[in-house]
């Protein structure tokens, strides 16, 4: 009896050993950044794909699991590694517009091919690209017998943080149009948040989580969770369709890149090109029609309630009014004039009845074709405003007719809008439904040589590399909140945090440049800045098409307007001189078409003395620096208007001390001394 029991125990032990034995196949593997500072380990543990990240020999991402839940089965376990491959790329490419002309692209890549061990043998590939300032990874679903059309119910991407660090985030829940304030708090205290997520891990370690090349997929959000093995683990939370499905797909299929930027300083976050490098090269063969510039518009007057979008005695979009703005633009070297409320559809509740919008038929008091001819004769062009009220199908049905009209007239820039959080009264703007719509608009616009400034957009993800007619977008609390927000307007720290959060996703159409803070329509609400800080926004909040947003009568005769006239919107090089996220920021940018430099600086509600070091200038040359700074007694709360101006000679070994008032700023225009 004893021998039989002993034999049974040995058989049971052997069976247990077989079950617990490591999966046959490949071990975990490592891919490093070209400079060796970042090391990513990818493998499979108990059938679950995972990765870890080290930066300068310190763990910055603990064991984090990857995968999906599909509509018919889990797709995050029971995997084995079937093969691996490596690749390296090092080169440069040139942007037709941007904060830097030349972009360096250098990464090491590891592809890990997986297969589930069940009878279906479904396959999935993980592709990791590691740069000197971070990494991107994505999922690839190869063409295969047992996975054709499929539905993603949940993406299970994790980012397991070893420490519960402070992070700047914008909430996803109860937020419309990506227009909430960014706030700083420990990750564990956050609700579901949209990306980018900017994490202050330490004094010399900063991380940003976002995505690149968002194509035919749902927008990415993250939910903090307390899971074993990390202080806090961020888990992907895709924006769903109304029926709960996250993504409809057909193999072969690829996800967007999940990006983790890792730098030692806040300034390096701004100058990182990781997101752009993870997008496909430009698909527009001839980009000569894509330009940059500045524009004015019949816009702020609506927010001040001087004008209305709808027809009536105070209608703003009239031929007479538009000619005034065109004449002003021509006198002050502006390239465009935006006119809101020009087309049929604004009467009534257009936020609910967007299907009534026409994008070709102008109101009787607005001569679209005549005004465009008038503008072109003066070296200006109209910027066509296309508010949709969220009626995406109505807009798509008119895209070709509208864009062919604009091309015939010579209108090359449009501003789109979606003031309804649901498209077609059903689907979230940031769901796959919305992403497909935004892409259709962009690609159709490219066909007609039209540039797009997108308001209420999808969060940018670097698509401007592939489709550089995507010029700029909103996706933040912009200047209009300083007109009507019940909380009094954007807080003083807002301009100092946007470049490190929303600005990391792409160009921002913040619409800067308000000079008159009087607000009879909403007393107490106004820009919570000085006027000089409004000037600094042209440097700090980058857009290739920048608006001079105030009413033109507030610019006439104002000496500071000369800075807005001359500040470029396309740059050769960008240097972050000093920064603390949410507190202060100083940036220098070199004009792409001259040797001129422009510097902008801003502070939060605290006054600050800064030192601008001119080491970015060419050595052995002398420059004239024109300095606009906060004047005596300037204070955003009591006296936002004083401006001081001086001209000084500087060289690269010089520095300049400047006092910034509470929520104040400064700008410097620098030219060769002649």
């Amino acid at each position: 009896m004893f021998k039989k029991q002993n034999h049974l125990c040995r058989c049971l032990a052997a069976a247990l050993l077989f079950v617990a034995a490591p999966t046959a196949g490949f071990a975990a593997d490592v891919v490093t950044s070209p400079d060796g500072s970042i090391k990513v380990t990818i493998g499979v543990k108990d059938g679950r794909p995972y990765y870890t990240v080290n930066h300068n020999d310190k763990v910055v991402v603990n064991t984090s699991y990857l995968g999906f839940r599909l509509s018919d089965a889990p797709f995050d376990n029971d995997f084995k590694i079937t093969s691996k491959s490596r690749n390296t790329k090092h080169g440069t490419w040139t942007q037709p517009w941007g904060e830097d002309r030349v972009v360096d692209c250098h990464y090491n890549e590891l592809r890990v091919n997986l297969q589930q061990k069940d009878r279906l043998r479904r396959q999935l590939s993980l592709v990791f690209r590691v740069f000197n300032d971070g990494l991107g990874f994505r999922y690839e679903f190869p063409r295969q017998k047992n996975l054709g059309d499929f539905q993603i119910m949940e993406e299970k991407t994790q980012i397991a943080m070893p420490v519960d660090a402070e992070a700047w985030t914008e909430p996803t829940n109860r937020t419309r149009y990506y227009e909430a304030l960014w706030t700083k708090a420990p990750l564990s205290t956050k609700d579901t948040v949209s990306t980018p997520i900017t994490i202050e891990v330490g004094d010399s370690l900063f991380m940003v989580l976002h995505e690149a090349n968002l194509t035919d997929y749902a927008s990415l959000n993250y939910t903090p969770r307390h899971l074993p093995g990390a202080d806090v683990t961020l888990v992907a939370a895709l924006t769903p369709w109304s029926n709960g499905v996250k993504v409809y797909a057909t193999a072969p299929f690829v996800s967007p890149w999940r990006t983790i930027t890792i730098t030692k300083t806040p300034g390096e976050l701004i100058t990182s090109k990781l997101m752009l490098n993870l997008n496909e090269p430009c698909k527009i063969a001839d980009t000569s029609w894509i330009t940059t510039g500045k524009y004015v518009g019949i816009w702020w007057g609506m927010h001040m309630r001087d004008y209305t979008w709808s027809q009536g005695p105070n209608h703003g979009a009239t031929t007479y009014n538009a000619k005034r703005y065109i004449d002003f633009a021509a006198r002050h070297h502006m390239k465009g004039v935006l006119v809101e409320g020009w087309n049929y559809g604004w009467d009534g509740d257009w936020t609910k009845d967007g299907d009534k919008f026409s994008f070709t038929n102008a109101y009787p008091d607005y001569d679209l074709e005549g005004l465009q001819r008038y503008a072109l004769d003066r070296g200006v062009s109209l910027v066509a405003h296309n508010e949709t009220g969220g009626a995406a199908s109505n807009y798509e049905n008119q895209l070709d007719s509208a864009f062919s009209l604009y091309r015939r007239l010579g209108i090359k820039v449009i501003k789109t809008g979606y003031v309804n959080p649901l498209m077609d009264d059903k689907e979230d703007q940031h769901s796959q439904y919305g992403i497909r719509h935004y892409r259709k608009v962009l690609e159709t616009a490219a066909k007609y040589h039209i540039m797009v400034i997108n308001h209420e957009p999808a969060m940018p993800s670097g698509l401007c590399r592939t489709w550089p007619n995507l010029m700029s977008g909103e996706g933040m609390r912009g200047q209009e909140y300083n007109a009507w927000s019940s909380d009094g307007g954007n807080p003083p720290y807002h301009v100092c945090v946007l470049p490190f959060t929303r600005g990391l996703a792409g160009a921002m159409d913040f619409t800067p440049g308000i000079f008159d803070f009087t607000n009879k329509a909403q007393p107490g609400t106004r820009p919570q800045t000085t006027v000089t800080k409004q000037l600094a926004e042209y440097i700090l909040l980058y857009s290739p098409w920048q608006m001079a947003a105030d009413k033109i009568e507030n610019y006439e005769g104002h000496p500071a307007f000369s800075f807005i006239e001359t500040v470029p919107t396309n740059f050769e090089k960008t240097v972050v001189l000093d920064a603390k996220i949410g507190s202060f920021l100083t940036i220098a940018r070199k004009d792409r078409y001259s040797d001129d430099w422009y510097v902008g600086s801003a502070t939060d509600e605290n006054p600050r003395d800064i030192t601008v070091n001119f080491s970015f200038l060419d050595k052995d040359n002398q420059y004239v620096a024109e300095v606009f700074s906060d004047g005596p007694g300037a204070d955003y709360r009591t006296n936002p208007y004083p401006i001081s101006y001086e001209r000084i000679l500087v060289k690269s070994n010089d520095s300049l001390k400047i006092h910034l008032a509470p929520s104040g700023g400064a700008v410097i225009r620098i030219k060769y001394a002649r």
Side-chain angles (χ1 to χ4, degrees):
M1 182 69 180
F2 175 78
K3 289 182 179 179
K4 288 182 179 179
Q5 287 178 330
N6 195 36
H7 176 72
L8 182 62
C9 289
R10 285 198 302 270
C11 290
L12 181 61
L16 289 172
L17 278 171
F18 179 79
V19 171
T23 303
F26 294 83
D29 210 339
V30 172
V31 57
T32 64
S33 59
D35 67 1
S37 64
I38 299 174
K39 181 175 73 173
V40 182
T41 302
I42 305 105
V44 172
K45 184 181 296 184
D46 298 326
R48 301 175 67 190
Y50 76 93
Y51 72 101
T52 64
V53 182
N54 281 46
H55 178 253
N56 291 333
D57 298 322
K58 293 182 179 179
V59 177
V60 293
V61 177
N62 281 350
T63 299
S64 302
Y65 293 100
L66 302 169
F68 298 89
R69 179 171 63 87
L70 305 183
S71 60
D72 62 349
F75 207 50
D76 65 337
N77 57 35
D78 198 34
F79 279 107
K80 66 177 181 180
I81 298 174
T82 59
S83 63
K84 303 174 187 175
S85 62
R86 294 180 180 273
N87 188 25
T88 295
K89 181 175 181 179
H90 191 193
T92 60
W93 55 278
T94 301
Q95 301 189 86
W97 55 264
E99 297 172 84
D100 296 274
R101 182 175 63 86
V102 178
V103 176
D104 182 72
C105 181
H106 193 188
Y107 64 78
N108 293 326
E109 176 184 290
L110 175 61
R111 175 185 294 270
V112 178
N113 299 314
L114 308 171
Q115 186 179 71
Q116 287 187 311
K117 293 177 287 183
D118 64 8
R119 61 181 180 82
L120 293 177
R121 300 292 192 267
R122 286 178 169 175
Q123 301 165 28
L124 179 68
S125 296
L126 306 175
V127 182
F128 280 76
R129 290 181 182 173
V130 187
F131 301 77
N132 291 337
D133 57 355
L135 63 133
F137 61 90
R138 74 178 180 187
Y139 303 92
E140 297 188 1
F141 299 79
R143 189 184 305 277
Q144 53 196 288
K145 179 180 178 181
N146 293 314
L147 190 66
D149 295 336
F150 62 97
Q151 299 172 14
I152 295 174
M153 305 305 295
E154 185 179 3
E155 182 184 322
K156 306 188 82 171
T157 298
Q158 296 181 358
I159 300 179
M161 298 295 297
V163 295
D164 187 12
E166 299 274 320
W168 290 94
T169 61
E170 176 186 50
T172 298
N173 299 329
R174 298 171 296 280
T175 298
R176 301 173 61 171
Y177 320 124
Y178 294 131
E179 292 181 10
L181 289 171
W182 296 80
T183 58
K184 180 181 176 181
L187 280 166
S188 63
T189 67
K190 302 287 187 175
D191 194 357
T192 299
V193 293
S194 60
T195 63
I197 300 169
T198 302
I199 308 171
E200 298 187 27
V201 183
D203 291 339
S204 58
L205 181 58
F206 299 84
M207 297 172 63
V208 172
L209 314 179
H210 190 37
E211 61 182 332
N213 194 353
L214 175 54
T215 298
D216 199 16
Y217 206 83
S219 297
L220 178 64
N221 311 283
Y222 281 107
T223 301
R225 293 180 181 172
H226 291 288
L227 299 177
D231 255 22
V232 59
T233 298
L234 297 167
V235 181
L238 302 180
T239 303
W241 290 72
S242 57
N243 62 5
V245 174
K246 303 297 174 58
V247 176
Y248 290 93
T250 301
F253 184 78
V254 299
S255 76
W257 296 92
R258 278 62 191 99
T259 64
I260 305 175
T261 307
I262 306 169
T263 68
K264 293 181 179 179
T265 67
E268 290 172 308
L269 295 177
I270 291 176
T271 55
S272 171
K273 298 298 184 292
L274 184 148
M275 179 188 67
L276 289 173
N277 278 325
L278 287 168
N279 277 267
E280 298 298 319
C282 180
K283 291 188 177 182
I284 300 174
D286 176 13
T287 61
S288 61
W289 55 272
I290 297 175
T291 59
T292 63
K294 296 184 289 289
Y295 64 103
V296 292
I298 301 174
W299 179 77
W300 191 247
M302 277 85 156
H303 292 289
M304 292 291 101
R305 301 180 193 172
D306 297 328
Y307 307 131
T308 62
W309 285 275
S310 59
Q311 295 184 92
N314 295 320
H315 186 214
T318 65
T319 299
Y320 169 78
N321 224 9
K323 282 186 174 181
R324 290 198 308 118
Y325 274 75
I326 291 168
D327 290 342
F328 178 90
R331 288 197 305 272
H332 296 282
H333 316 293
M334 301 281 170
K335 288 186 177 180
V337 174
L338 169 73
V339 182
E340 295 198 0
W342 66 273
N343 54 318
Y344 275 98
W346 291 95
D347 303 327
D349 191 348
W350 52 270
T351 64
K352 295 180 180 178
D353 299 321
D355 58 348
K356 293 182 171 60
F357 275 115
S358 168
F359 304 100
T360 56
N361 295 321
Y363 280 136
D365 57 352
Y366 185 81
D367 180 6
L368 174 64
E369 297 201 19
L371 283 168
Q372 176 64 1
R373 288 194 300 270
Y374 185 85
L376 290 175
D377 287 344
R378 288 153 181 78
V380 182
S381 178
L382 294 175
V383 176
H385 185 233
N386 288 180
E387 173 57 53
T388 68
S393 296
N394 177 57
Y395 192 33
E396 289 183 15
N397 291 337
Q398 298 183 59
L399 286 178
D400 284 293
S401 59
F403 292 175
S404 61
L405 170 65
Y406 303 157
R407 184 171 186 180
R408 177 174 66 81
L409 297 179
I411 295 173
K412 295 184 177 181
V413 185
I414 64 168
K415 172 184 168 182
T416 60
Y418 298 86
V419 184
N420 186 328
L422 296 179
M423 286 191 171
D424 293 330
D425 295 322
K426 186 176 183 181
E427 304 297 345
D428 193 292
Q429 291 175 345
H430 310 136
S431 68
Q432 186 183 28
Y433 184 90
I435 300 308
R436 287 174 172 175
H437 168 76
Y438 291 125
R439 181 62 65 86
K440 182 172 184 177
V441 173
L442 182 61
E443 294 186 12
T444 306
K447 184 172 69 173
Y448 290 96
H449 288 191
I450 289 173
M451 295 169 274
V452 178
I453 300 168
N454 186 193
H455 277 229
E456 295 81 41
M459 186 62 72
S461 61
L463 288 172
C464 58
R465 178 186 181 186
T466 312
W467 298 99
N469 63 315
L470 177 58
M471 307 303 294
S472 186
E474 195 181 29
M476 67 202 145
R477 273 183 56 137
Q479 188 79 263
E480 71 270 20
Y481 279 79
N482 294 327
W484 40 254
S485 182
S486 60
D487 60 10
N490 296 320
Y493 76 83
H494 192 55
V495 170
C496 299
V497 74
L498 282 179
F500 303 100
T501 52
R502 164 60 184 84
L504 301 180
M508 298 176 281
D509 193 45
F510 184 81
T511 59
I514 302 301
F515 279 13
D516 184 357
F517 294 178
T518 305
N519 190 340
K520 296 177 182 178
Q522 183 82 20
T525 297
R526 61 177 179 82
Q528 302 297 315
T529 71
T530 64
V531 170
T532 318
K533 188 173 178 179
Q534 290 285 314
L535 296 180
E537 291 172 0
Y538 286 89
I539 300 297
L540 304 179
L541 308 180
Y542 176 69
S543 176
W545 278 93
Q546 284 280 27
M547 188 178 191
D550 209 339
K551 296 183 293 184
I552 56 175
E553 47 265 38
N554 295 330
Y555 292 137
E556 292 285 9
H558 200 300
F561 188 70
S562 68
F563 182 83
I564 297 177
E565 283 185 285
T566 58
V567 64
T569 61
N570 198 9
F571 295 100
E572 177 72 19
K573 184 179 180 181
T574 290
V575 181
V576 180
L577 301 181
D578 199 6
K580 182 178 179 181
I581 302 175
S583 297
F584 65 92
L585 172 63
T586 304
I587 290 180
R589 303 190 194 268
K590 185 178 185 295
D591 178 27
R592 185 172 296 200
Y593 306 110
S594 73
D595 294 314
D596 301 347
W597 282 83
Y598 290 77
V599 178
S601 185
T603 182
D604 59 9
E605 69 276 10
N606 299 301
R608 201 175 303 273
D609 294 310
I610 65 166
T611 300
V612 177
N613 187 311
F614 294 105
S615 58
F616 55 86
L617 297 175
D618 293 338
K619 293 181 180 179
D620 303 322
N621 286 313
Q622 192 172 52
Y623 295 81
V624 174
E626 297 178 85
V627 184
F628 298 81
S629 59
D630 295 313
D635 189 310
Y636 80 101
R637 293 159 295 194
T638 58
N639 190 15
Y641 297 113
I643 298 176
S644 292
Y645 172 82
E646 62 176 332
R647 286 168 57 95
I648 58 174
L649 295 175
V650 297
K651 290 186 175 181
S652 63
N653 58 353
D654 290 334
S655 61
L656 176 66
K657 292 184 177 181
I658 302 175
H659 177 73
L660 305 181
S663 196
V667 293
I668 310 173
R669 181 168 53 206
I670 305 170
K671 298 177 178 289
Y672 277 136
R674 302 300 181 189

